[in-house]
Amino acid sequence: MILGVGTDLANIERMERTLARFGDRFRNRVFTRAEQAKAEGRANVAGTYAKRWAAKEACSKALGTGLRMGIAWKDMSVANLATGQPVMHLTGWAAERLAAMTPPGHEAVVHVSLTDDHPWAQAFVVIEARPVAPPPA
């Protein structure tokens, strides 16, 4: 069953200006060290940050809160599997909110999709509840 859906669109040029103006102060407030390392190692640094920004916004919407009620930016982080597939990791209040909205007997799975086409970066997040298989008899 679907527990939440969120999407967000971010402007890459705006992200470039924000990074130029606020630098590490902005990076350290919004992005985990792993996210920063990923972005700084890419050819399109601002695009990578913009996609992750959009993913955090989309995830907060899928959680049904937006960026309020105690969710911190770094409570949601985007990593990539070896295949390149993006994955969302939740900690802190975001993880607590996810647990609270997950029905008993289910596990939550957060799906994330990222894309960009200059000057836009977009993220789409779907939170799914999957039934947990009962232990074999």
Side-chain angles (χ1 to χ4, degrees):
M1 92 182 60
I2 302 300
L3 298 179
V5 176
T7 187
D8 194 66
L9 187 65
N11 185 285
I12 296 169
E13 292 170 356
R14 181 176 180 205
M15 181 60 67
E16 287 172 338
R17 291 189 302 271
T18 300
L19 291 167
R21 182 173 179 193
F22 298 106
D24 286 342
R25 191 171 110 211
F26 172 73
R27 283 182 193 87
N28 293 332
R29 184 174 69 92
V30 175
F31 300 101
T32 65
R33 290 183 196 268
E35 288 175 311
Q36 290 180 47
K38 179 75 169 182
E40 297 299 328
R42 299 303 272 295
N44 185 359
V45 173
T48 302
Y49 278 123
K51 285 188 282 190
R52 278 151 176 73
W53 170 278
K56 291 169 187 264
E57 288 274 5
C59 185
S60 71
K61 293 171 185 174
L63 290 169
T65 63
L67 284 162
R68 57 182 175 86
M69 297 178 60
I71 291 182
W73 285 104
K74 292 196 284 188
D75 284 350
M76 302 165 288
S77 67
V78 179
N80 295 86
L81 300 177
T83 60
Q85 177 185 347
V87 292
M88 181 70 71
H89 297 287
L90 303 181
T91 59
W93 198 92
E96 291 173 20
R97 170 69 179 152
L98 181 63
M101 65 191 285
T102 304
H106 291 74
E107 64 179 348
V109 179
V110 180
H111 304 276
V112 60
S113 180
L114 306 174
T115 191
D116 65 289
D117 186 7
H118 195 86
W120 301 107
Q122 183 177 32
F124 191 74
V125 171
V126 175
I127 301 175
E128 172 190 13
R130 289 185 187 160
V132 176

